Amino acid sequence: MKKLNCLLSVIFIQSFFLPTALAQEENTAIVPLPSVDDFSRGRDGWSFGLGLGVEYETAYEGSDEFGLEVQPAGAVQWRKGDNIFYFAGEALGWRGLRADTWLLEAAVGFDEGREENDSDDGRLDGLGNQDEGAELVLQARRALDSDWRYWLVGRAVTGGDGNLGLLGVGRRFGDQLDGTGSELNFVAVFHDSEYANKGFGIDQGQAAASGLRETTLSGGLRSVGIDYNYRHYINNNWQIYGEALFEYFGSEVRDSPIARSNYEAEIGIGFIYVF
């Protein structure tokens, strides 16, 4: 399957490759970061990107099972100066640039939840299903230099099942201003007890039904991680993007019977057509 995916990717690139002819001054993104979707080409008004991605990832948080998942990619965006409003998949949000060094973002999205059949090996049997729920995501990035070569990032996620926070530092590679190139982020993730027990806790009823040890987490450090983002214009309309993520769980999470692995990982690649 991996060889087939690689072959399809090569065929796709060869079929659609044309020399990139986008002038940087005419295609300036709100910030030049590959992890930030910006289809505006530096212009105010509506923009639209549509595509498809394939991810190879863990079946659920803490799982030692991996699988392929196909997901839509892209977004509908409306830009006005240093503000972009967007609808992307299951997220509706806004991001804005302030003083050229602050990128602020607010979005309402959905947590996918978890189902017992997410585990093909029956590792979740007896734990019940977790419903999808809405959550609010607030994020701020602070550039440490004028060209966004380095930055600090903070994120807060809150909803009906607790709170999660993230602190990190990032590094951009390449000199492009159109949001292409690559970047690395190093992060530490924290969660409160409610959020921690949603993913890794086991109450008395679940313990009786599943045979797993009753487990209650207190919250604190959830994990440390690294992620890599890549984006490139194949020609005037086609983008290729990729992401790789590795997250190593903290000791309290690793002790949960739900965490069959000490880490979570995923890798993905996709294509977007920018209209």
Side-chain angles (χ1 to χ4, degrees):
M1 180 61 73
K2 292 182 179 178
K3 292 182 179 179
L4 176 60
N5 288 337
C6 292
L7 178 60
L8 291 175
S9 299
V10 170
I11 293 174
F12 191 98
I13 293 173
Q14 290 177 339
S15 299
F16 285 87
F17 181 83
L18 289 173
T20 301
L22 300 178
Q24 289 283 344
E25 63 272 13
E26 296 178 356
N27 197 25
T28 304
I30 190 170
V31 289
L33 301 181
S35 60
V36 179
D37 287 338
D38 185 348
F39 307 131
S40 67
R41 303 185 190 275
R43 300 187 293 267
D44 286 353
W46 291 100
S47 57
F48 181 56
L50 180 63
L52 203 65
V54 178
E55 295 181 351
Y56 183 71
E57 60 184 353
T58 50
Y60 58 90
E61 293 181 338
S63 174
D64 57 359
E65 304 168 54
F66 286 80
L68 286 172
E69 184 176 359
V70 179
Q71 294 185 336
V76 178
Q77 301 176 339
W78 184 79
R79 179 170 178 172
K80 180 65 175 179
D82 288 332
N83 297 280
I84 290 179
F85 298 87
Y86 63 88
F87 175 71
E90 295 183 328
L92 180 65
W94 159 86
R95 64 175 63 103
L97 182 65
R98 298 294 179 267
D100 293 328
T101 56
W102 283 96
L103 179 65
L104 307 177
E105 186 164 358
V108 176
F110 289 91
D111 176 14
E112 295 181 352
R114 188 185 68 199
E115 297 182 357
E116 290 188 359
N117 61 14
D118 286 344
S119 172
D120 292 335
D121 296 336
R123 302 289 177 82
L124 299 175
D125 290 353
L127 297 180
N129 297 332
Q130 295 177 350
D131 295 332
E132 184 179 79
E135 57 187 16
L136 175 65
V137 181
L138 303 174
Q139 180 169 273
R141 299 197 206 195
R142 173 65 165 85
L144 301 179
D145 47 23
S146 60
D147 61 355
W148 285 84
R149 184 68 57 195
Y150 298 92
W151 65 87
L152 301 175
V153 59
R155 182 186 306 157
V157 180
T158 184
D161 296 298
N163 304 285
L164 179 142
L166 176 150
L167 296 173
V169 60
R171 167 72 158 91
R172 179 173 72 95
F173 303 91
D175 298 319
Q176 301 94 320
L177 300 178
D178 58 0
T180 62
S182 60
E183 69 178 65
L184 272 176
N185 291 274
F186 300 90
V187 300
V189 185
F190 305 85
H191 52 196
D192 64 13
S193 59
E194 185 177 3
Y195 199 101
N197 285 292
K198 173 192 173 184
F200 298 98
I202 301 172
D203 62 27
Q204 188 175 25
Q206 291 173 321
S210 66
L212 298 176
R213 180 183 78 251
E214 186 175 350
T215 303
T216 302
L217 284 70
S218 60
L221 178 68
R222 171 191 173 90
S223 62
V224 293
I226 179 173
D227 74 272
Y228 172 80
N229 289 275
Y230 172 81
R231 190 179 300 271
H232 174 70
Y233 269 104
I234 299 173
N235 57 38
N236 192 59
N237 296 101
W238 283 99
Q239 283 187 3
I240 181 174
Y241 71 91
E243 181 180 15
L245 168 71
F246 179 84
E247 181 182 10
Y248 186 75
F249 294 126
S251 59
E252 191 178 38
V253 173
R254 296 198 306 269
D255 288 341
S256 168
I258 294 177
R260 301 285 180 166
S261 175
N262 293 335
Y263 66 90
E264 183 175 358
E266 69 177 63
I267 185 170
I269 186 173
F271 298 91
I272 297 176
Y273 186 87
V274 181
F275 291 84

